[in-house]
Amino acid sequence: MSYSSGRHFLQIPGPTNVPERVLRAISAPTIDHRGGAFGRFGLELLESVKEVFRTTSPVVIYPSSGTGAWEAALVNTLSPGDKVLMFEVGQFSTLWADMARRLGLDVTFVPGDWRTGPSAADVEKILTEDKGHTYKAVGVVHNETATGIYTNIAEVRKAMDRAGHPALLMVDAISSLGAMDYRHDEWGVDVTIAGSQKGLMLPPGLGLNALSERALAANKTAKLPKAYWDWQAMLGQNKAGFFPYTPATNLLYGLKEALSMIREEGLENVYARHERHGEATRRAVRTWGLEVVAKDPTQYSGTVTAVLMPEGFSADAFRKVVLDRFNMSLGSGLGKVNDKVFRIGHLGDFNDLMLAGTLCGVEMGLAVAGVPHKQGGAAAAMEHLTAMAQQAHQVPAGVR
Ligand SMILES: *Cc1c(COP(=O)(O)O)cnc(C)c1O
């Protein structure tokens, strides 16, 4: 393999760029995970991690990928044959529903076109018709990473309340937590599912569940088999800052650092930054004359933009050109949209100039790969970023 000079652009929607501060934190010596120092560290971490979920309830952290945290949410709250309501928005919602079926749950998977997400009205209608309250849980993906489609969880919660339905609300926030506005307590979410390698700016390897009182109550009677994922074993040990088995010690150091960075920037500023980058990216895509996958502007993702390739052109061939020539990785089309879609990840440790570079790489790649498009997308994004910067930058009186 020959050396590629300069920095690789990792613009897949997770794993994301791991900042130096986090890498340094992770490189600290591994210590005894049963010793007093680790217990004190664990207690502090388990408390501070709540902030990013905006919850006062316990957060459980597994050494796992996000998929493990999906499974933990289901097996800790449900029993074999329980009915679960889920919505097809893209590959991740599809995989979560598949998992629920394989675990022995009775899944109603509301079909979707992979270009729009569920509406609150859909949720309300289905739950209102479920007079016997047979659905035990509603599973929603906050930000469907495969299609760049966002679902408004506050609206889903209101729809459930209007229907007077007691089902648990489970939300996959794997590619939105620490990047897009998220409020576990305020939105009445029962289990929030997250992972380390997206908005939280860590390498892969941590899966998280934020719980609620109702989720803990459901846990008492849930009959699906669980061992590794058992919340009770976790919560018992977590009381003293420990874990029932070896935690991913060094990733937890990284998490502590990432949470500090998010706190220093301020959650609201983090959200605004991702919104801004999403908008700038969509302006670029429109200027190129290409189409974003998400049809409904109220469902645009702040962390990932999925772009439709023009008919007859291969998204994977295009991505290969961008990687080989410009040393940038773009996200592939997953599942049904394999080779038809490429994805631009704009989340995690990211700023305006990194986005400008990313969009320049996409635009140059389109030209090199011979994909029909109009020039000026990166410039359109820059214009938006400039306007936003001018708005934010108040020149003090007397400076001019
Ligand atoms: C990445 C992702 C997953 C899967 O997480 P893994 O860490 O790959 O197991 C699930 N849901 C969403 C929305 C994701 O973005």
Side-chain angles (χ1 to χ4, degrees):
M1 224 166 73
S2 74
Y3 176 65
S4 283
S5 64
R7 186 168 77 61
H8 174 66
F9 271 60
L10 182 66
Q11 299 317 133
I12 58 174
T16 62
N17 299 287
V18 180
E20 286 291 332
R21 273 177 65 175
V22 169
L23 288 174
R24 278 199 296 276
I26 288 172
S27 72
T30 303
I31 61 171
D32 174 11
H33 63 287
R34 308 271 186 212
F38 189 85
R40 288 187 291 278
F41 163 78
L43 272 181
E44 209 185 295
L45 180 69
L46 289 163
E47 199 47 45
S48 64
V49 72
K50 294 176 181 177
E51 202 175 312
V52 75
F53 289 91
R54 297 193 156 173
T55 186
T56 55
S57 290
V59 174
V60 164
I61 308 177
Y62 300 100
S64 79
S65 83
T67 301
W70 266 349
E71 180 160 340
L74 298 171
V75 298
N76 273 291
T77 53
L78 299 168
S79 298
D82 275 356
K83 278 181 73 176
V84 177
L85 178 62
M86 290 177 161
F87 302 86
E88 180 183 10
V89 190
Q91 182 67 357
F92 289 106
S93 43
T94 302
L95 290 174
W96 195 19
D98 282 349
M99 168 189 272
R101 273 187 220 104
R102 281 184 285 158
L103 289 170
L105 296 166
D106 179 0
V107 182
T108 302
F109 195 44
V110 179
D113 61 1
W114 287 45
R115 298 203 63 180
T116 47
S119 72
D122 296 339
V123 176
E124 185 175 352
K125 179 166 185 290
I126 295 167
L127 293 183
T128 304
E129 283 166 6
D130 181 33
K131 300 266 183 264
H133 295 167
T134 60
Y135 285 112
K136 298 301 173 206
V138 177
V140 183
V141 176
H142 183 220
N143 183 67
E144 171 53 85
T145 321
T147 47
I149 292 171
Y150 145 86
T151 296
N152 186 323
I153 302 301
E155 292 299 320
V156 170
R157 164 48 70 195
K158 283 186 210 148
M160 292 175 72
D161 291 347
R162 281 196 299 274
H165 202 289
L168 295 172
L169 174 58
M170 297 189 190
V171 178
D172 170 345
I174 295 178
S175 65
S176 54
L177 192 85
M180 290 164 65
D181 191 7
Y182 196 82
R183 298 153 195 264
H184 178 87
D185 286 2
E186 189 182 319
W187 296 343
V189 179
D190 293 299
V191 189
T192 297
I193 296 138
S196 53
Q197 76 273 28
K198 300 183 184 177
L200 293 179
M201 308 181 285
L202 299 167
L206 297 179
L208 302 93
N209 279 175
L211 318 182
S212 74
E213 286 298 327
R214 293 184 66 232
L216 285 165
N219 180 240
K220 294 214 167 71
T221 56
K223 298 262 177 338
L224 279 175
K226 55 194 156 294
Y228 188 80
W229 306 116
D230 188 355
W231 285 346
Q232 289 309 325
M234 271 286 182
L235 294 171
Q237 290 282 322
N238 282 176
K239 283 199 185 87
F242 295 112
F243 293 79
Y245 37 75
T246 317
T249 319
N250 291 50
L251 288 178
L252 296 177
Y253 300 160
L255 177 59
K256 179 179 179 216
E257 189 65 21
L259 293 169
S260 297
M261 292 166 69
I262 290 172
R263 194 175 310 121
E264 287 167 29
E265 184 176 352
L267 265 181
E268 295 299 339
N269 295 329
V270 169
Y271 300 154
R273 169 165 59 80
H274 285 87
E275 273 301 308
R276 175 170 86 241
H277 291 164
E279 177 59 31
T281 303
R282 292 187 297 272
R283 286 178 186 222
V285 172
R286 266 182 236 122
T287 306
W288 292 324
L290 301 180
E291 220 183 316
V292 298
V293 170
K295 272 187 176 163
D296 179 344
T298 67
Q299 297 179 347
Y300 287 151
S301 164
T303 61
V304 52
T305 300
V307 183
L308 282 170
M309 271 319 258
E311 201 53 45
F313 288 84
S314 158
D316 290 343
F318 162 68
R319 289 191 314 109
K320 186 172 183 319
V321 166
V322 172
L323 179 60
D324 291 350
R325 179 63 213 182
F326 300 113
N327 195 17
M328 175 162 74
S329 296
L330 295 170
S332 60
L334 299 174
K336 274 187 197 175
V337 293
N338 175 36
D339 205 27
K340 295 186 168 67
V341 159
F342 69 91
R343 293 174 299 147
I344 305 169
H346 34 82
L347 75 159
D349 187 43
F350 203 55
N351 65 27
D352 289 5
L353 294 191
M354 291 163 85
L355 180 65
T358 298
L359 296 174
C360 284
V362 173
E363 186 160 333
M364 291 189 287
L366 290 168
V368 175
V371 179
H373 71 289
K374 293 186 204 69
Q375 286 187 334
M382 277 170 59
E383 220 171 278
H384 180 66
L385 296 175
T386 306
M388 297 298 281
Q390 282 169 332
Q391 250 179 48
H393 187 76
Q394 304 282 339
V395 180
V399 165
R400 279 186 222 269

